[in-house]
Amino acid sequence: MTTLNEVAARAGVTPATVSNVLRNRGRVGAATRERVLHAVKELGYRPHLAARALAEGRAPTFALMVSSIANPFYPEFTLAAERAARTSGHFLIVCNTNDDQETGRAYLEQIAGTLSEGVLVTNAELVFDDLRATAERGTPVVLCMWERPDDPPGLPCVAVDFRLAGALAAQHLLDLGHTRVGALVGSRSTHDDGAPFGIHGARRDGFVERFSAADDAQIVAEFICESDTIRGGYDAARRLLKAHPDVTALYATNDLPALGAMHAAADMGLSVPDDLSVVGITDIQLARESRPALSTVAVPTEEAARMAVDLLRELIDRAPRASRGNPGTPMRVTSAPVMVPRASTAPPRTRDQRTRSSLRKR
Amino acid sequence: MTTLNEVAARAGVTPATVSNVLRNRGRVGAATRERVLHAVKELGYRPHLAARALAEGRAPTFALMVSSIANPFYPEFTLAAERAARTSGHFLIVCNTNDDQETGRAYLEQIAGTLSEGVLVTNAELVFDDLRATAERGTPVVLCMWERPDDPPGLPCVAVDFRLAGALAAQHLLDLGHTRVGALVGSRSTHDDGAPFGIHGARRDGFVERFSAADDAQIVAEFICESDTIRGGYDAARRLLKAHPDVTALYATNDLPALGAMHAAADMGLSVPDDLSVVGITDIQLARESRPALSTVAVPTEEAARMAVDLLRELIDRAPRASRGNPGTPMRVTSAPVMVPRASTAPPRTRDQRTRSSLRKR
């Protein structure tokens, strides 16, 4: 691989001049610039971004903290974040915390500031105090998918209006004519927020507010999923449908439990959407590829990833290392979620249309 | 965060002695060792792995090259690889090549040897000459899921016997009584191998050999999927089922196209497994979570990831930097794939049992 020194020798300048030309820094005469660029082209030189960053005492990566890359939401987010990171020559380190606070803390201690110039945090059950301590030591931290734009977390973040997402799901079911529905909340309360519905509280509240405001509309039951997974949704949906066989639709605060709810309906002999409508939130790839395809409220995942990387870079560039710790706490809000109607929702059958046999199977 | 120097000061020794104690290197008397370990505990010191590696001129990460982390196979592999890498203090950088050779080459040039001490390669359409050049420059490279143990790639690799996987799928369909089946091959030929069925050649050959060897059994048609995806399998299955409505089962060389084949069957009014059995290869999470659950041949993904990381570490440790380029080309073979029968396969109906209506719908 051609080195900077070889380019400098060929162009008859110092390595510092080559560096200045390539980075548009310093004063370099037009003729010299021309000569350097010619040598670069001739020798096929490529700037060695990682080495450059290391030589400058900068860290060449961003760390992305996820609970588990195997959760289908994260790969899509990770792909977009890596693409965005690459535009400034940063590589992306994936840190699976397995929702374990100690693991998350160990990552932060080992990686922040040395290997990683900044930290992107998705919902990985990290302790906010650990994140603040990391930022105070000079390594910017950005929360990537904050769910409550009206309630800033005290850390720089990219927020998605998940309350609106819940409201849009409610409106969709109301527009179809559903009046008796059940809700599956995809997460429990966690240590950090203490809200009864955990990080999905905004999604839940938005749905409940909008649906309950309509005439004659009733949320018959709310069940919390044991886990925010297909399995968690399956189990919660079975319990809900057994206890309340008269609901005509289920809302789930995330796509995975919504997909589980569709499986539960199938196993109970209910046809989706004829006997039961199901709507989720997020629009992961699986939502498009399930049968029937899942109606869901799409959140701008790729946009959020790009915005998070951009914000992280701004925080890194904003101030010299020493004062990065207190950059204020900017919050950027993505474009609004959008309802995407697919095949899993339809107007409710009237009671007479619903077959007795399918009801008996419950 | 406590530093090595603080531990040394507390214990009244040099930083080098602390380092020796923590790494079990050099000669340190028992009393000194005791004093150092006491200071470590007292101060809550944690070795700073990333900083240590950088200080030693070693690279603190492994690079994992994938075509796209959004393909559902890779997150499962990545999770296992990251866990294995962490046991030696390495972090994992995810490199999405998007199946682009230039992108792959750029990663190798920028990352190998500086930021990453070794490179793990999954099927990312990289040019083997680029990988060999990387290894020759002193950064070990391991191919993680080589598909043909009987045909080594000329690079260190972990191999899975995919020919056997294909044979197991064939035997499963034969055992159920299927005699007329179709095959969907999940990839085309690529530049590097030139085989007509691309990297899925072994999976295809294993199936064809075993199935064709049975009396009265016939592979009625083989279709190549436009892409190794649910969509690619959907389209190929539709074409195959329209052209050959008499097949009673489909074999797909990967789970995603197999799931697509199930969707195609559903859209054509065919019930899986009553009208059509479908079997895939890999056993990704989706296979377990689809409805009906997909019968498939499970390959040991986690084991392969662990073995690949272990092999990479051996290659790194085996020789000083200068001679790493020619470490021989070890190949490790994982445990054998295993047939996992689920709900998508069943004995074929006799012709009379198959409803006319479902045949007409094709």
Side-chain angles (χ1 to χ4, degrees):
Chain A
M1 191 160 35
T2 305
T3 67
L4 193 75
N5 286 341
E6 288 165 351
V7 174
R10 173 72 61 110
V13 300
T14 65
T17 300
V18 177
S19 182
N20 282 341
V21 169
L22 292 176
R23 315 188 72 173
N24 280 318
R25 287 184 184 170
R27 291 191 180 183
V28 184
T32 306
R33 172 180 300 277
E34 190 58 36
R35 216 160 61 236
V36 168
L37 292 176
H38 186 72
V40 164
K41 198 172 171 189
E42 206 176 14
L43 296 175
Y45 172 73
R46 286 171 190 238
H48 193 312
L49 298 171
R52 178 198 282 175
L54 287 168
E56 289 174 346
R58 298 179 58 177
T61 76
F62 296 146
L64 174 65
M65 315 284 278
V66 299
S67 57
S68 166
I69 190 71
N71 172 322
F73 169 74
Y74 294 116
E76 300 177 34
F77 186 90
T78 302
L79 182 63
E82 204 241 343
R83 281 191 183 143
R86 297 294 303 123
T87 62
S88 60
H90 285 86
F91 299 95
L92 197 70
I93 291 182
V94 173
C95 306
N96 294 291
T97 68
N98 196 27
D99 284 339
D100 178 62
Q101 299 179 18
E102 273 302 316
T103 304
R105 192 172 297 138
Y107 273 116
L108 291 172
E109 284 184 7
Q110 292 176 7
I111 220 170
T114 53
L115 190 55
S116 294
E117 198 158 24
V119 179
L120 300 166
V121 178
T122 62
N123 169 33
E125 296 282 338
L126 294 172
V127 180
F128 276 26
D129 281 347
D130 290 342
L131 297 173
R132 286 194 195 94
T134 300
E136 277 159 19
R137 284 197 296 266
T139 305
V141 173
V142 170
L143 302 186
C144 295
M145 297 280 281
W146 184 249
E147 308 224 338
R148 303 187 289 270
D150 54 341
D151 180 19
L155 278 163
C157 71
V158 171
V160 178
D161 191 347
F162 273 100
R163 181 183 292 261
L164 174 59
L168 292 174
Q171 193 61 52
H172 176 64
L173 294 181
L174 288 168
D175 290 346
L176 289 170
H178 293 275
T179 55
R180 294 181 64 78
V181 305
L184 306 172
V185 184
S187 75
R188 321 188 133 271
S189 175
T190 57
H191 38 88
D192 257 321
D193 48 34
F197 295 102
I199 56 153
H200 285 189
R203 314 177 184 206
R204 179 261 174 199
D205 293 347
F207 182 85
V208 170
E209 286 158 11
R210 179 72 65 93
F211 201 84
S212 306
D215 288 342
D216 300 326
Q218 190 193 346
I219 297 170
V220 177
E222 288 185 73
F223 279 59
I224 291 182
C225 301
E226 196 61 38
S227 64
D228 185 17
T229 59
I230 289 180
R231 184 76 219 180
Y234 179 89
D235 292 340
R238 278 193 82 103
R239 285 188 287 123
L240 194 151
L241 291 170
K242 275 188 181 157
H244 305 279
D246 57 331
V247 299
T248 60
L250 289 180
Y251 161 68
T253 56
N254 222 356
D255 283 349
L256 290 179
L259 293 168
M262 290 210 291
H263 292 175
D267 284 359
M268 296 170 82
L270 296 170
S271 167
V272 174
D274 293 339
D275 298 322
L276 184 78
S277 286
V278 177
V279 60
I281 283 186
T282 309
D283 198 19
I284 59 176
Q285 198 179 334
L286 265 183
R288 280 155 261 165
E289 292 177 343
S290 70
R291 291 295 158 122
L294 180 67
S295 297
T296 186
V297 183
V299 299
T301 304
E302 284 189 29
E303 183 192 1
R306 278 197 311 272
M307 288 174 73
V309 169
D310 286 346
L311 177 55
L312 190 61
R313 275 199 294 245
E314 281 177 41
L315 295 173
I316 290 167
D317 292 340
R318 185 181 287 189
R321 256 171 182 281
S323 64
R324 271 189 209 157
N326 186 19
T329 49
M331 178 169 70
R332 305 281 158 79
V333 182
T334 67
S335 56
V338 176
M339 180 68 219
V340 181
R342 294 204 182 95
S344 71
T345 47
R349 293 190 189 186
T350 64
R351 204 164 182 82
D352 294 342
Q353 288 173 307
R354 301 175 79 180
T355 62
R356 288 289 123 193
S357 69
S358 76
L359 286 172
R360 265 199 305 274
K361 278 186 193 168
R362 299 186 195 184
Chain B
M1 193 161 32
T2 306
T3 67
L4 192 76
N5 287 339
E6 287 163 355
V7 175
R10 173 74 59 111
V13 300
T14 64
T17 300
V18 176
S19 182
N20 281 341
V21 169
L22 292 176
R23 315 187 72 174
N24 280 317
R25 288 185 186 171
R27 293 191 179 183
V28 183
T32 307
R33 173 181 300 277
E34 191 59 37
R35 216 160 62 236
V36 168
L37 292 176
H38 185 73
V40 164
K41 198 172 171 190
E42 206 176 18
L43 297 174
Y45 173 73
R46 286 171 191 234
H48 193 310
L49 298 172
R52 177 198 283 176
L54 287 168
E56 289 174 348
R58 296 180 57 175
T61 76
F62 297 145
L64 175 65
M65 315 283 277
V66 299
S67 57
S68 165
I69 190 71
N71 173 322
F73 169 74
Y74 293 117
E76 299 177 35
F77 186 91
T78 302
L79 183 63
E82 204 241 344
R83 282 191 182 143
R86 296 295 303 123
T87 63
S88 61
H90 285 88
F91 299 95
L92 196 70
I93 292 184
V94 172
C95 306
N96 294 291
T97 67
N98 198 27
D99 284 338
D100 178 61
Q101 300 180 15
E102 274 302 317
T103 304
R105 192 171 298 139
Y107 273 116
L108 291 172
E109 285 185 8
Q110 293 176 7
I111 221 170
T114 53
L115 190 55
S116 294
E117 199 158 23
V119 179
L120 301 166
V121 178
T122 63
N123 170 32
E125 297 282 338
L126 295 172
V127 180
F128 276 26
D129 281 347
D130 291 342
L131 297 173
R132 286 195 195 95
T134 299
E136 277 159 20
R137 285 198 295 266
T139 305
V141 172
V142 170
L143 302 186
C144 295
M145 297 279 281
W146 184 250
E147 309 224 337
R148 300 187 291 271
D150 54 342
D151 180 18
L155 279 163
C157 71
V158 171
V160 178
D161 190 348
F162 273 101
R163 181 184 292 258
L164 174 59
L168 292 174
Q171 192 61 51
H172 177 63
L173 294 182
L174 287 168
D175 290 347
L176 289 170
H178 292 275
T179 54
R180 295 182 62 79
V181 305
L184 305 172
V185 184
S187 76
R188 325 186 129 270
S189 175
T190 57
H191 37 88
D192 258 321
D193 49 33
F197 294 103
I199 55 152
H200 285 189
R203 314 178 184 206
R204 179 261 174 198
D205 293 347
F207 182 85
V208 169
E209 286 158 11
R210 178 73 63 94
F211 201 83
S212 305
D215 287 343
D216 300 326
Q218 189 192 349
I219 297 170
V220 177
E222 289 185 72
F223 280 58
I224 292 182
C225 301
E226 196 60 41
S227 64
D228 185 18
T229 60
I230 289 181
R231 184 76 219 179
Y234 179 89
D235 291 340
R238 277 193 82 103
R239 285 187 287 120
L240 194 152
L241 291 170
K242 275 187 180 157
H244 305 279
D246 57 332
V247 300
T248 60
L250 289 180
Y251 161 69
T253 55
N254 221 355
D255 284 349
L256 289 178
L259 294 167
M262 290 210 291
H263 293 174
D267 284 0
M268 294 170 83
L270 296 170
S271 167
V272 175
D274 293 339
D275 298 322
L276 184 78
S277 286
V278 178
V279 60
I281 283 187
T282 309
D283 198 20
I284 59 176
Q285 197 178 337
L286 265 183
R288 281 155 261 166
E289 292 177 343
S290 71
R291 291 294 157 123
L294 181 66
S295 298
T296 186
V297 182
V299 299
T301 304
E302 284 189 30
E303 183 192 1
R306 279 197 311 272
M307 288 174 72
V309 169
D310 287 345
L311 177 55
L312 191 61
R313 275 198 293 244
E314 281 176 43
L315 294 173
I316 290 168
D317 292 341
R318 183 179 289 189
R321 255 172 183 277
S323 64
R324 272 189 207 155
N326 187 17
T329 50
M331 178 168 72
R332 306 280 159 80
V333 182
T334 67
S335 57
V338 176
M339 181 67 220
V340 181
R342 294 202 183 96
S344 71
T345 47
R349 293 190 188 186
T350 64
R351 205 164 183 81
D352 294 342
Q353 287 173 306
R354 302 174 78 180
T355 62
R356 288 290 124 193
S357 69
S358 76
L359 287 171
R360 267 200 303 278
K361 278 185 191 165
R362 300 190 193 182

